[in-house]
Protein backbone atom coordinates (compact mmCIF):
# COMPACT_ATOMS: atom_id res chain seq x y z
CA UNK A 1 0.00 0.00 0.00
CA UNK A 2 1.37 3.39 -0.97
CA UNK A 3 1.63 6.19 1.59
CA UNK A 4 1.98 9.90 0.80
CA UNK A 5 4.83 12.07 2.08
CA UNK A 6 5.20 15.87 1.72
CA UNK A 7 8.23 18.05 2.42
CA UNK A 8 8.78 21.81 2.26
CA UNK A 9 11.97 23.05 0.64
CA UNK A 10 11.98 26.82 0.66
CA UNK A 11 8.59 28.11 -0.53
CA UNK A 12 7.76 24.91 -2.44
CA UNK A 13 6.00 21.77 -1.25
CA UNK A 14 7.13 18.50 -2.82
CA UNK A 15 5.07 15.33 -2.72
CA UNK A 16 6.05 11.73 -3.08
CA UNK A 17 4.77 8.32 -2.21
CA UNK A 18 6.42 5.31 -0.66
CA UNK A 19 5.72 1.72 0.23
CA UNK A 20 7.57 -0.71 2.44
CA UNK A 21 9.02 -3.93 1.07
CA UNK A 22 10.52 -5.79 3.99
CA UNK A 23 13.25 -3.57 5.47
CA UNK A 24 13.36 -1.36 2.35
CA UNK A 25 11.16 1.43 1.06
CA UNK A 26 10.46 2.35 -2.54
CA UNK A 27 10.10 6.12 -2.87
CA UNK A 28 8.55 7.68 -5.98
CA UNK A 29 8.40 11.39 -6.67
CA UNK A 30 8.21 13.64 -9.71
CA UNK A 31 11.93 13.16 -10.41
CA UNK A 32 11.97 9.37 -10.37
CA UNK A 33 12.16 6.39 -8.06
CA UNK A 34 14.66 5.18 -5.48
CA UNK A 35 14.95 2.27 -3.08
CA UNK A 36 16.29 2.95 0.42
CA UNK A 37 17.21 0.72 3.35
CA UNK A 38 15.25 1.45 6.54
CA UNK A 39 16.88 -0.82 9.07
CA UNK A 40 15.43 0.06 12.49
CA UNK A 41 14.15 3.52 11.46
CA UNK A 42 10.49 4.18 10.76
CA UNK A 43 9.76 4.11 7.01
CA UNK A 44 8.05 7.54 7.04
CA UNK A 45 11.16 9.12 8.60
CA UNK A 46 13.43 7.60 5.95
CA UNK A 47 11.06 8.62 3.13
CA UNK A 48 10.74 12.22 4.36
CA UNK A 49 14.48 12.65 4.87
CA UNK A 50 15.41 11.13 1.52
CA UNK A 51 12.78 13.13 -0.39
CA UNK A 52 14.06 16.35 1.19
CA UNK A 53 17.62 15.44 0.09
CA UNK A 54 16.56 14.54 -3.45
CA UNK A 55 14.46 17.63 -4.18
CA UNK A 56 17.03 19.94 -2.58
CA UNK A 57 19.71 18.99 -5.12
CA UNK A 58 20.16 21.05 -8.27
CA UNK A 59 19.20 19.23 -11.46
CA UNK A 60 22.16 18.36 -13.71
CA UNK A 61 21.95 19.70 -17.25
Amino acid sequence: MWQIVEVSVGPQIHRGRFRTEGKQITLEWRGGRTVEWCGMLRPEVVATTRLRQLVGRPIAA
Side-chain angles (χ1 to χ4, degrees):
M1 181 172 82
W2 291 97
Q3 297 178 24
I4 303 297
V5 62
E6 291 184 351
V7 297
S8 296
V9 178
Q12 298 179 328
I13 296 175
H14 300 275
R15 292 175 184 85
R17 65 182 190 162
F18 72 95
R19 68 177 177 206
T20 56
E21 299 172 347
K23 296 258 183 198
Q24 295 180 336
I25 62 164
T26 301
L27 173 65
E28 293 183 347
W29 75 106
R30 200 176 95 198
R33 176 188 293 185
T34 186
V35 177
E36 297 295 326
W37 181 257
C38 289
M40 294 178 62
L41 297 174
R42 292 190 331 234
E44 56 271 10
V45 172
V46 175
T48 302
T49 304
R50 189 64 177 133
L51 181 60
R52 187 172 286 122
Q53 290 172 350
L54 291 167
V55 299
R57 283 196 233 166
I59 298 173

